[in-house]
């Protein structure tokens, strides 16, 4: 199968972790006799230093023409520390999502046996955690009208949603719940926000088409608490752009590091695969960033292509690295291994094995076709 993959490393640790994913893809090509075409393109601060734009036209064109996009991360301290900057690297990512219509960001949070000791939370709390967040990705407050008064003392960001935007991701989330444990939690702030009340009304209607899925609504503040107290109560979480962004990073505490968690950003024409985490600029060039979030994002891309065996072979290799503690310093205590070394180890342990993974025990939380 000849597939074209756009590689957008971006800033900070983005290119370093993405390089480990490419090693894994090359091992997949060799082991399973595939041919992938890789094309690199700039995005974020690195793109701004060239063309001045965080999302150059050529990068967008390449993404449109590719079968999938693997994204590293964007963001740089010079912008983080300068609230006055008018053009920002993050706009590169937001524009990419908007331009490609990537409305659903699927974020699995699953506890593996090999990571139990890694969580700062009690084992009895995190054991069995297997939830997936369906975060709306192209609407809400990140994309609403922004204003700042002439004297700079008042600012606003509008949170706007249409029924159509809510319903397309709601259907996707209900379908996923149907294939999983048949439970869906809508997370909103409907006691305060009009936009959240539209989410509730729309989801209440849609739920009628999925009678075998039990659903509930929960306010975001309570959901944040419940996720730390009893994460196993959640199966599919459906929520808006900002709540999903924050709640998913919080979910990474259950697993013990945001450096482990992947996501798929899906639209009708394109798909992009990206870690939860950002560009972690403090770690740039230090060879300490955990590459697993990027490698698991690659697994989600292979699942999206329908290459289940290939995807499973990477998951198995990651488990091998976790069980042998060949990991970066953010997890499992006292590791001294670097990003590169872990990437080499994982890619070198990719094999075409007859033995099938127990999808429920070992995969990253999705299994067959959950994301489509
Ligand atoms: N998708 C993206 O490209 C995102 C970009 N950003 C941008 O990234 C920059 C830094 O933002 P932060 O809030 O500091 O978030 P961040 O996710 O980059 O880092 C927060 C903390 O998470 C940990 N961490 C993150 N990635 C890790 C990895 N691979 N391995 C081990 N530990 C890891 C580190 O302890 C780090 O201090 C900002 O410019 C921000 O705008 C933030 C979030 C997402
Ligand atoms: C630019 C931000 C919205 C990126 C982010 O934090 C995310 O998508 O998780
Ligand atoms: Mg985020």
């Amino acid at each position: 199968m000849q597939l074209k993959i756009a590689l957008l490393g971006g800033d900070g640790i983005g290119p370093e972790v993405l390089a480990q994913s490419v090693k894994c893809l090359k091992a997949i090509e060799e082991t399973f006799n595939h041919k992938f075409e890789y094309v690199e393109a700039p995005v974020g601060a690195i793109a701004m230093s060239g063309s001045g734009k965080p999302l150059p036209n050529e990068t967008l064109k390449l993404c449109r023409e590719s079968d999938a996009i693997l994204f590293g991360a964007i963001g740089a301290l010079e912008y983080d520390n300068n609230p006055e900057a008018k053009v920002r690297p993050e706009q590169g990512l937001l524009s990419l999502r908007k331009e490609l219509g990537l409305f659903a960001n699927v974020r699995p949070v699953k506890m593996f046996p090999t990571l139990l000791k890694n969580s700062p939370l009690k084992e009895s709390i995190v054991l069995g955690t297997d939830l997936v967040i369906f975060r709306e990705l192209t609407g809400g407050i990140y994309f609403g009208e922004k204003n700042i008064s002439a004297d700079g003392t008042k600012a606003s960001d509008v949170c706007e949603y249409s029924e159509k935007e809510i319903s397309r991701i709601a259907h996707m989330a209900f379908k996923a719940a149907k294939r999983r444990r048949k439970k869906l939690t809508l997370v909103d702030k409907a006691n305060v926000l009009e936009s959240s009340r539209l989410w509730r009304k729309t989801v209440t209607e849609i739920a009628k088409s999925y009678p075998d899925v039990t659903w509930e609504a929960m306010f975001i503040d309570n959901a944040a608490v419940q996720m730390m107290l009893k994460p196993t109560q959640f199966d599919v979480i459906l929520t808006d752009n900002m709540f999903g962004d924050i709640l998913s990073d919080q979910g990474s505490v259950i697993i013990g590091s945001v450096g482990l968690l992947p996501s798929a950003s899906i639209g009708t024409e394109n798909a992009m695969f990206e870690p939860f985490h950002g560009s972690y600029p403090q770690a740039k060039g230090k060879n300490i960033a955990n590459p697993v979030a990027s490698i698991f994002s690659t697994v989600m891309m292979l699942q999206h292509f329908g290459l289940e065996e290939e995807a499973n072979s990477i998951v198995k290799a990651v488990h091998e690295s976790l069980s042998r503690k060949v990991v970066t310093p953010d997890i499992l205590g006292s590791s001294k291994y670097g990003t590169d070394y872990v990437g080499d180890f994982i890619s070198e342990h990719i094999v075409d094995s007859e033995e099938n993974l127990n999808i429920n025990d070992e995969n990253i939380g999705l299994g067959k076709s959950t994301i489509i």
Side-chain angles (χ1 to χ4, degrees), residues 74 90 93-94 97 105 107 135 137 142 241 245 248-249 274-277:
I74 39 85
E90 289 77 4
L93 177 56
L94 294 172
R97 291 169 176 171
N105 185 223
R107 298 191 156 200
R135 164 190 175 196
L137 200 60
Y142 292 173
N241 200 342
D245 187 3
S248 54
D249 265 35
E274 43 178 321
F276 282 24
H277 65 71

mmCIF file with all atom_site columns, all heavy atoms in Angstrom, residues 74 90 93-94 97 105 107 135 137 142 241 245 248-249 274-277, ligand 2:
data_model
loop_
_atom_site.group_PDB
_atom_site.id
_atom_site.type_symbol
_atom_site.label_atom_id
_atom_site.label_alt_id
_atom_site.label_comp_id
_atom_site.label_asym_id
_atom_site.label_entity_id
_atom_site.label_seq_id
_atom_site.pdbx_PDB_ins_code
_atom_site.Cartn_x
_atom_site.Cartn_y
_atom_site.Cartn_z
_atom_site.occupancy
_atom_site.B_iso_or_equiv
_atom_site.pdbx_formal_charge
_atom_site.auth_seq_id
_atom_site.auth_comp_id
_atom_site.auth_asym_id
_atom_site.auth_atom_id
_atom_site.pdbx_PDB_model_num
ATOM   1   N N   . ILE A 1 74  ? 3.500   22.526 18.462 1.00 0.00 ? 74  ILE A N   1
ATOM   2   C CA  . ILE A 1 74  ? 3.928   23.892 18.138 1.00 0.00 ? 74  ILE A CA  1
ATOM   3   C C   . ILE A 1 74  ? 3.954   24.734 19.414 1.00 0.00 ? 74  ILE A C   1
ATOM   4   O O   . ILE A 1 74  ? 3.363   24.373 20.437 1.00 0.00 ? 74  ILE A O   1
ATOM   5   C CB  . ILE A 1 74  ? 3.019   24.584 17.088 1.00 0.00 ? 74  ILE A CB  1
ATOM   6   C CG1 . ILE A 1 74  ? 1.559   24.252 17.315 1.00 0.00 ? 74  ILE A CG1 1
ATOM   7   C CG2 . ILE A 1 74  ? 3.408   24.231 15.671 1.00 0.00 ? 74  ILE A CG2 1
ATOM   8   C CD1 . ILE A 1 74  ? 0.848   25.059 18.267 1.00 0.00 ? 74  ILE A CD1 1
ATOM   9   N N   . GLU A 1 90  ? 0.568   29.015 17.664 1.00 0.00 ? 90  GLU A N   1
ATOM   10  C CA  . GLU A 1 90  ? -0.617  28.179 17.888 1.00 0.00 ? 90  GLU A CA  1
ATOM   11  C C   . GLU A 1 90  ? -1.651  28.353 16.784 1.00 0.00 ? 90  GLU A C   1
ATOM   12  O O   . GLU A 1 90  ? -2.424  27.445 16.494 1.00 0.00 ? 90  GLU A O   1
ATOM   13  C CB  . GLU A 1 90  ? -1.249  28.493 19.254 1.00 0.00 ? 90  GLU A CB  1
ATOM   14  C CG  . GLU A 1 90  ? -0.454  28.014 20.457 1.00 0.00 ? 90  GLU A CG  1
ATOM   15  C CD  . GLU A 1 90  ? 0.761   28.880 20.794 1.00 0.00 ? 90  GLU A CD  1
ATOM   16  O OE1 . GLU A 1 90  ? 0.972   29.927 20.127 1.00 0.00 ? 90  GLU A OE1 1
ATOM   17  O OE2 . GLU A 1 90  ? 1.508   28.506 21.725 1.00 0.00 ? 90  GLU A OE2 1
ATOM   18  N N   . LEU A 1 93  ? -1.692  25.648 14.164 1.00 0.00 ? 93  LEU A N   1
ATOM   19  C CA  . LEU A 1 93  ? -2.421  24.404 14.463 1.00 0.00 ? 93  LEU A CA  1
ATOM   20  C C   . LEU A 1 93  ? -3.929  24.632 14.369 1.00 0.00 ? 93  LEU A C   1
ATOM   21  O O   . LEU A 1 93  ? -4.659  23.825 13.785 1.00 0.00 ? 93  LEU A O   1
ATOM   22  C CB  . LEU A 1 93  ? -2.032  23.909 15.861 1.00 0.00 ? 93  LEU A CB  1
ATOM   23  C CG  . LEU A 1 93  ? -2.748  22.661 16.367 1.00 0.00 ? 93  LEU A CG  1
ATOM   24  C CD1 . LEU A 1 93  ? -2.578  21.492 15.409 1.00 0.00 ? 93  LEU A CD1 1
ATOM   25  C CD2 . LEU A 1 93  ? -2.219  22.270 17.754 1.00 0.00 ? 93  LEU A CD2 1
ATOM   26  N N   . LEU A 1 94  ? -4.377  25.748 14.941 1.00 0.00 ? 94  LEU A N   1
ATOM   27  C CA  . LEU A 1 94  ? -5.820  26.030 14.914 1.00 0.00 ? 94  LEU A CA  1
ATOM   28  C C   . LEU A 1 94  ? -6.306  26.179 13.465 1.00 0.00 ? 94  LEU A C   1
ATOM   29  O O   . LEU A 1 94  ? -7.344  25.627 13.087 1.00 0.00 ? 94  LEU A O   1
ATOM   30  C CB  . LEU A 1 94  ? -6.132  27.299 15.725 1.00 0.00 ? 94  LEU A CB  1
ATOM   31  C CG  . LEU A 1 94  ? -5.877  27.165 17.236 1.00 0.00 ? 94  LEU A CG  1
ATOM   32  C CD1 . LEU A 1 94  ? -6.023  28.511 17.937 1.00 0.00 ? 94  LEU A CD1 1
ATOM   33  C CD2 . LEU A 1 94  ? -6.837  26.171 17.881 1.00 0.00 ? 94  LEU A CD2 1
ATOM   34  N N   . ARG A 1 97  ? -6.489  22.754 11.712 1.00 0.00 ? 97  ARG A N   1
ATOM   35  C CA  . ARG A 1 97  ? -7.688  22.008 12.105 1.00 0.00 ? 97  ARG A CA  1
ATOM   36  C C   . ARG A 1 97  ? -8.922  22.571 11.403 1.00 0.00 ? 97  ARG A C   1
ATOM   37  O O   . ARG A 1 97  ? -9.752  21.829 10.902 1.00 0.00 ? 97  ARG A O   1
ATOM   38  C CB  . ARG A 1 97  ? -7.867  22.083 13.635 1.00 0.00 ? 97  ARG A CB  1
ATOM   39  C CG  . ARG A 1 97  ? -6.807  21.306 14.400 1.00 0.00 ? 97  ARG A CG  1
ATOM   40  C CD  . ARG A 1 97  ? -6.873  21.630 15.895 1.00 0.00 ? 97  ARG A CD  1
ATOM   41  N NE  . ARG A 1 97  ? -5.933  20.820 16.669 1.00 0.00 ? 97  ARG A NE  1
ATOM   42  C CZ  . ARG A 1 97  ? -5.667  21.035 17.951 1.00 0.00 ? 97  ARG A CZ  1
ATOM   43  N NH1 . ARG A 1 97  ? -6.235  22.030 18.597 1.00 0.00 ? 97  ARG A NH1 1
ATOM   44  N NH2 . ARG A 1 97  ? -4.820  20.253 18.591 1.00 0.00 ? 97  ARG A NH2 1
ATOM   45  N N   . ASN A 1 105 ? -11.716 15.442 17.846 1.00 0.00 ? 105 ASN A N   1
ATOM   46  C CA  . ASN A 1 105 ? -10.415 15.055 18.403 1.00 0.00 ? 105 ASN A CA  1
ATOM   47  C C   . ASN A 1 105 ? -10.671 13.922 19.398 1.00 0.00 ? 105 ASN A C   1
ATOM   48  O O   . ASN A 1 105 ? -11.331 14.108 20.417 1.00 0.00 ? 105 ASN A O   1
ATOM   49  C CB  . ASN A 1 105 ? -9.777  16.268 19.082 1.00 0.00 ? 105 ASN A CB  1
ATOM   50  C CG  . ASN A 1 105 ? -8.361  16.014 19.585 1.00 0.00 ? 105 ASN A CG  1
ATOM   51  O OD1 . ASN A 1 105 ? -8.000  16.413 20.681 1.00 0.00 ? 105 ASN A OD1 1
ATOM   52  N ND2 . ASN A 1 105 ? -7.557  15.345 18.798 1.00 0.00 ? 105 ASN A ND2 1
ATOM   53  N N   . ARG A 1 107 ? -9.445  11.287 22.028 1.00 0.00 ? 107 ARG A N   1
ATOM   54  C CA  . ARG A 1 107 ? -8.323  11.202 22.978 1.00 0.00 ? 107 ARG A CA  1
ATOM   55  C C   . ARG A 1 107 ? -8.514  10.048 23.963 1.00 0.00 ? 107 ARG A C   1
ATOM   56  O O   . ARG A 1 107 ? -9.207  10.188 24.976 1.00 0.00 ? 107 ARG A O   1
ATOM   57  C CB  . ARG A 1 107 ? -8.209  12.528 23.753 1.00 0.00 ? 107 ARG A CB  1
ATOM   58  C CG  . ARG A 1 107 ? -7.901  13.712 22.855 1.00 0.00 ? 107 ARG A CG  1
ATOM   59  C CD  . ARG A 1 107 ? -7.515  14.958 23.637 1.00 0.00 ? 107 ARG A CD  1
ATOM   60  N NE  . ARG A 1 107 ? -6.705  15.828 22.799 1.00 0.00 ? 107 ARG A NE  1
ATOM   61  C CZ  . ARG A 1 107 ? -5.908  16.783 23.236 1.00 0.00 ? 107 ARG A CZ  1
ATOM   62  N NH1 . ARG A 1 107 ? -5.808  17.031 24.521 1.00 0.00 ? 107 ARG A NH1 1
ATOM   63  N NH2 . ARG A 1 107 ? -5.190  17.509 22.402 1.00 0.00 ? 107 ARG A NH2 1
ATOM   64  N N   . ARG A 1 135 ? -13.552 15.221 21.819 1.00 0.00 ? 135 ARG A N   1
ATOM   65  C CA  . ARG A 1 135 ? -13.469 16.676 21.992 1.00 0.00 ? 135 ARG A CA  1
ATOM   66  C C   . ARG A 1 135 ? -13.791 17.367 20.667 1.00 0.00 ? 135 ARG A C   1
ATOM   67  O O   . ARG A 1 135 ? -13.120 17.098 19.653 1.00 0.00 ? 135 ARG A O   1
ATOM   68  C CB  . ARG A 1 135 ? -12.034 17.021 22.445 1.00 0.00 ? 135 ARG A CB  1
ATOM   69  C CG  . ARG A 1 135 ? -11.660 18.473 22.301 1.00 0.00 ? 135 ARG A CG  1
ATOM   70  C CD  . ARG A 1 135 ? -10.161 18.674 22.537 1.00 0.00 ? 135 ARG A CD  1
ATOM   71  N NE  . ARG A 1 135 ? -9.763  20.046 22.289 1.00 0.00 ? 135 ARG A NE  1
ATOM   72  C CZ  . ARG A 1 135 ? -8.506  20.443 22.113 1.00 0.00 ? 135 ARG A CZ  1
ATOM   73  N NH1 . ARG A 1 135 ? -7.506  19.567 22.167 1.00 0.00 ? 135 ARG A NH1 1
ATOM   74  N NH2 . ARG A 1 135 ? -8.232  21.706 21.893 1.00 0.00 ? 135 ARG A NH2 1
ATOM   75  N N   . LEU A 1 137 ? -13.438 20.014 17.922 1.00 0.00 ? 137 LEU A N   1
ATOM   76  C CA  . LEU A 1 137 ? -12.120 20.625 17.688 1.00 0.00 ? 137 LEU A CA  1
ATOM   77  C C   . LEU A 1 137 ? -12.112 21.875 16.805 1.00 0.00 ? 137 LEU A C   1
ATOM   78  O O   . LEU A 1 137 ? -11.084 22.542 16.705 1.00 0.00 ? 137 LEU A O   1
ATOM   79  C CB  . LEU A 1 137 ? -11.185 19.562 17.077 1.00 0.00 ? 137 LEU A CB  1
ATOM   80  C CG  . LEU A 1 137 ? -9.686  19.805 17.179 1.00 0.00 ? 137 LEU A CG  1
ATOM   81  C CD1 . LEU A 1 137 ? -9.212  19.920 18.622 1.00 0.00 ? 137 LEU A CD1 1
ATOM   82  C CD2 . LEU A 1 137 ? -8.879  18.737 16.455 1.00 0.00 ? 137 LEU A CD2 1
ATOM   83  N N   . TYR A 1 142 ? -12.224 28.766 21.205 1.00 0.00 ? 142 TYR A N   1
ATOM   84  C CA  . TYR A 1 142 ? -10.932 28.942 20.525 1.00 0.00 ? 142 TYR A CA  1
ATOM   85  C C   . TYR A 1 142 ? -11.103 29.587 19.144 1.00 0.00 ? 142 TYR A C   1
ATOM   86  O O   . TYR A 1 142 ? -10.147 30.105 18.575 1.00 0.00 ? 142 TYR A O   1
ATOM   87  C CB  . TYR A 1 142 ? -10.198 27.606 20.371 1.00 0.00 ? 142 TYR A CB  1
ATOM   88  C CG  . TYR A 1 142 ? -9.716  26.978 21.672 1.00 0.00 ? 142 TYR A CG  1
ATOM   89  C CD1 . TYR A 1 142 ? -9.158  25.698 21.681 1.00 0.00 ? 142 TYR A CD1 1
ATOM   90  C CD2 . TYR A 1 142 ? -9.795  27.645 22.880 1.00 0.00 ? 142 TYR A CD2 1
ATOM   91  C CE1 . TYR A 1 142 ? -8.720  25.108 22.870 1.00 0.00 ? 142 TYR A CE1 1
ATOM   92  C CE2 . TYR A 1 142 ? -9.367  27.070 24.061 1.00 0.00 ? 142 TYR A CE2 1
ATOM   93  C CZ  . TYR A 1 142 ? -8.835  25.796 24.053 1.00 0.00 ? 142 TYR A CZ  1
ATOM   94  O OH  . TYR A 1 142 ? -8.400  25.222 25.214 1.00 0.00 ? 142 TYR A OH  1
ATOM   95  N N   . ASN A 1 241 ? -14.629 22.089 22.785 1.00 0.00 ? 241 ASN A N   1
ATOM   96  C CA  . ASN A 1 241 ? -13.213 22.250 22.465 1.00 0.00 ? 241 ASN A CA  1
ATOM   97  C C   . ASN A 1 241 ? -12.354 22.532 23.712 1.00 0.00 ? 241 ASN A C   1
ATOM   98  O O   . ASN A 1 241 ? -11.406 21.800 24.011 1.00 0.00 ? 241 ASN A O   1
ATOM   99  C CB  . ASN A 1 241 ? -13.087 23.372 21.435 1.00 0.00 ? 241 ASN A CB  1
ATOM   100 C CG  . ASN A 1 241 ? -11.778 23.330 20.677 1.00 0.00 ? 241 ASN A CG  1
ATOM   101 O OD1 . ASN A 1 241 ? -10.822 22.703 21.105 1.00 0.00 ? 241 ASN A OD1 1
ATOM   102 N ND2 . ASN A 1 241 ? -11.734 23.991 19.540 1.00 0.00 ? 241 ASN A ND2 1
ATOM   103 N N   . ASP A 1 245 ? -9.957  19.976 25.898 1.00 0.00 ? 245 ASP A N   1
ATOM   104 C CA  . ASP A 1 245 ? -8.518  20.253 25.944 1.00 0.00 ? 245 ASP A CA  1
ATOM   105 C C   . ASP A 1 245 ? -8.015  20.093 27.392 1.00 0.00 ? 245 ASP A C   1
ATOM   106 O O   . ASP A 1 245 ? -7.058  19.363 27.677 1.00 0.00 ? 245 ASP A O   1
ATOM   107 C CB  . ASP A 1 245 ? -8.293  21.692 25.438 1.00 0.00 ? 245 ASP A CB  1
ATOM   108 C CG  . ASP A 1 245 ? -6.839  22.057 25.261 1.00 0.00 ? 245 ASP A CG  1
ATOM   109 O OD1 . ASP A 1 245 ? -5.975  21.195 25.472 1.00 0.00 ? 245 ASP A OD1 1
ATOM   110 O OD2 . ASP A 1 245 ? -6.560  23.230 24.913 1.00 0.00 ? 245 ASP A OD2 1
ATOM   111 N N   . SER A 1 248 ? -8.683  16.468 29.144 1.00 0.00 ? 248 SER A N   1
ATOM   112 C CA  . SER A 1 248 ? -7.827  15.381 28.662 1.00 0.00 ? 248 SER A CA  1
ATOM   113 C C   . SER A 1 248 ? -6.417  15.507 29.246 1.00 0.00 ? 248 SER A C   1
ATOM   114 O O   . SER A 1 248 ? -5.810  14.498 29.630 1.00 0.00 ? 248 SER A O   1
ATOM   115 C CB  . SER A 1 248 ? -7.799  15.328 27.141 1.00 0.00 ? 248 SER A CB  1
ATOM   116 O OG  . SER A 1 248 ? -7.427  16.567 26.609 1.00 0.00 ? 248 SER A OG  1
ATOM   117 N N   . ASP A 1 249 ? -5.880  16.720 29.334 1.00 0.00 ? 249 ASP A N   1
ATOM   118 C CA  . ASP A 1 249 ? -4.569  16.868 29.976 1.00 0.00 ? 249 ASP A CA  1
ATOM   119 C C   . ASP A 1 249 ? -4.653  16.414 31.433 1.00 0.00 ? 249 ASP A C   1
ATOM   120 O O   . ASP A 1 249 ? -3.740  15.778 31.962 1.00 0.00 ? 249 ASP A O   1
ATOM   121 C CB  . ASP A 1 249 ? -4.075  18.315 29.909 1.00 0.00 ? 249 ASP A CB  1
ATOM   122 C CG  . ASP A 1 249 ? -3.144  18.561 28.722 1.00 0.00 ? 249 ASP A CG  1
ATOM   123 O OD1 . ASP A 1 249 ? -3.368  17.938 27.666 1.00 0.00 ? 249 ASP A OD1 1
ATOM   124 O OD2 . ASP A 1 249 ? -2.190  19.365 28.851 1.00 0.00 ? 249 ASP A OD2 1
ATOM   125 N N   . GLU A 1 274 ? -1.885  13.432 16.502 1.00 0.00 ? 274 GLU A N   1
ATOM   126 C CA  . GLU A 1 274 ? -1.079  14.369 17.289 1.00 0.00 ? 274 GLU A CA  1
ATOM   127 C C   . GLU A 1 274 ? -1.135  14.009 18.768 1.00 0.00 ? 274 GLU A C   1
ATOM   128 O O   . GLU A 1 274 ? -2.183  13.604 19.270 1.00 0.00 ? 274 GLU A O   1
ATOM   129 C CB  . GLU A 1 274 ? -1.589  15.806 17.083 1.00 0.00 ? 274 GLU A CB  1
ATOM   130 C CG  . GLU A 1 274 ? -3.109  15.927 17.108 1.00 0.00 ? 274 GLU A CG  1
ATOM   131 C CD  . GLU A 1 274 ? -3.620  17.371 16.954 1.00 0.00 ? 274 GLU A CD  1
ATOM   132 O OE1 . GLU A 1 274 ? -2.999  18.276 17.523 1.00 0.00 ? 274 GLU A OE1 1
ATOM   133 O OE2 . GLU A 1 274 ? -4.649  17.570 16.299 1.00 0.00 ? 274 GLU A OE2 1
ATOM   134 N N   . PRO A 1 275 ? -0.004  14.145 19.472 1.00 0.00 ? 275 PRO A N   1
ATOM   135 C CA  . PRO A 1 275 ? -0.020  13.909 20.923 1.00 0.00 ? 275 PRO A CA  1
ATOM   136 C C   . PRO A 1 275 ? -0.927  14.904 21.640 1.00 0.00 ? 275 PRO A C   1
ATOM   137 O O   . PRO A 1 275 ? -1.235  15.964 21.099 1.00 0.00 ? 275 PRO A O   1
ATOM   138 C CB  . PRO A 1 275 ? 1.431   14.163 21.342 1.00 0.00 ? 275 PRO A CB  1
ATOM   139 C CG  . PRO A 1 275 ? 2.242   14.154 20.106 1.00 0.00 ? 275 PRO A CG  1
ATOM   140 C CD  . PRO A 1 275 ? 1.329   14.544 18.980 1.00 0.00 ? 275 PRO A CD  1
ATOM   141 N N   . PHE A 1 276 ? -1.316  14.561 22.895 1.00 0.00 ? 276 PHE A N   1
ATOM   142 C CA  . PHE A 1 276 ? -2.011  15.549 23.744 1.00 0.00 ? 276 PHE A CA  1
ATOM   143 C C   . PHE A 1 276 ? -1.093  16.747 24.005 1.00 0.00 ? 276 PHE A C   1
ATOM   144 O O   . PHE A 1 276 ? -1.547  17.863 24.134 1.00 0.00 ? 276 PHE A O   1
ATOM   145 C CB  . PHE A 1 276 ? -2.295  14.975 25.148 1.00 0.00 ? 276 PHE A CB  1
ATOM   146 C CG  . PHE A 1 276 ? -3.440  14.028 25.312 1.00 0.00 ? 276 PHE A CG  1
ATOM   147 C CD1 . PHE A 1 276 ? -3.947  13.284 24.273 1.00 0.00 ? 276 PHE A CD1 1
ATOM   148 C CD2 . PHE A 1 276 ? -4.014  13.868 26.579 1.00 0.00 ? 276 PHE A CD2 1
ATOM   149 C CE1 . PHE A 1 276 ? -5.000  12.403 24.478 1.00 0.00 ? 276 PHE A CE1 1
ATOM   150 C CE2 . PHE A 1 276 ? -5.057  12.997 26.799 1.00 0.00 ? 276 PHE A CE2 1
ATOM   151 C CZ  . PHE A 1 276 ? -5.554  12.257 25.743 1.00 0.00 ? 276 PHE A CZ  1
ATOM   152 N N   . HIS A 1 277 ? 0.186   16.440 24.179 1.00 0.00 ? 277 HIS A N   1
ATOM   153 C CA  . HIS A 1 277 ? 1.097   17.435 24.764 1.00 0.00 ? 277 HIS A CA  1
ATOM   154 C C   . HIS A 1 277 ? 1.504   18.528 23.789 1.00 0.00 ? 277 HIS A C   1
ATOM   155 O O   . HIS A 1 277 ? 1.285   18.432 22.581 1.00 0.00 ? 277 HIS A O   1
ATOM   156 C CB  . HIS A 1 277 ? 2.339   16.752 25.347 1.00 0.00 ? 277 HIS A CB  1
ATOM   157 C CG  . HIS A 1 277 ? 3.224   16.073 24.322 1.00 0.00 ? 277 HIS A CG  1
ATOM   158 N ND1 . HIS A 1 277 ? 3.993   16.766 23.426 1.00 0.00 ? 277 HIS A ND1 1
ATOM   159 C CD2 . HIS A 1 277 ? 3.475   14.759 24.083 1.00 0.00 ? 277 HIS A CD2 1
ATOM   160 C CE1 . HIS A 1 277 ? 4.690   15.902 22.682 1.00 0.00 ? 277 HIS A CE1 1
ATOM   161 N NE2 . HIS A 1 277 ? 4.380   14.679 23.055 1.00 0.00 ? 277 HIS A NE2 1
HETATM 162 C C1  . LIG B 2 .   ? -3.115  25.378 20.454 1.00 0.00 ? 2   LIG B C1  1
HETATM 163 C C2  . LIG B 2 .   ? -3.844  24.615 21.530 1.00 0.00 ? 2   LIG B C2  1
HETATM 164 C C3  . LIG B 2 .   ? -5.312  24.753 21.390 1.00 0.00 ? 2   LIG B C3  1
HETATM 165 C C4  . LIG B 2 .   ? -3.416  23.220 21.468 1.00 0.00 ? 2   LIG B C4  1
HETATM 166 C C5  . LIG B 2 .   ? -3.853  22.364 22.607 1.00 0.00 ? 2   LIG B C5  1
HETATM 167 O O1  . LIG B 2 .   ? -3.631  22.619 23.761 1.00 0.00 ? 2   LIG B O1  1
HETATM 168 C C6  . LIG B 2 .   ? -4.449  21.108 22.283 1.00 0.00 ? 2   LIG B C6  1
HETATM 169 O O2  . LIG B 2 .   ? -5.038  20.958 21.215 1.00 0.00 ? 2   LIG B O2  1
HETATM 170 O O3  . LIG B 2 .   ? -4.404  20.216 23.132 1.00 0.00 ? 2   LIG B O3  1
#
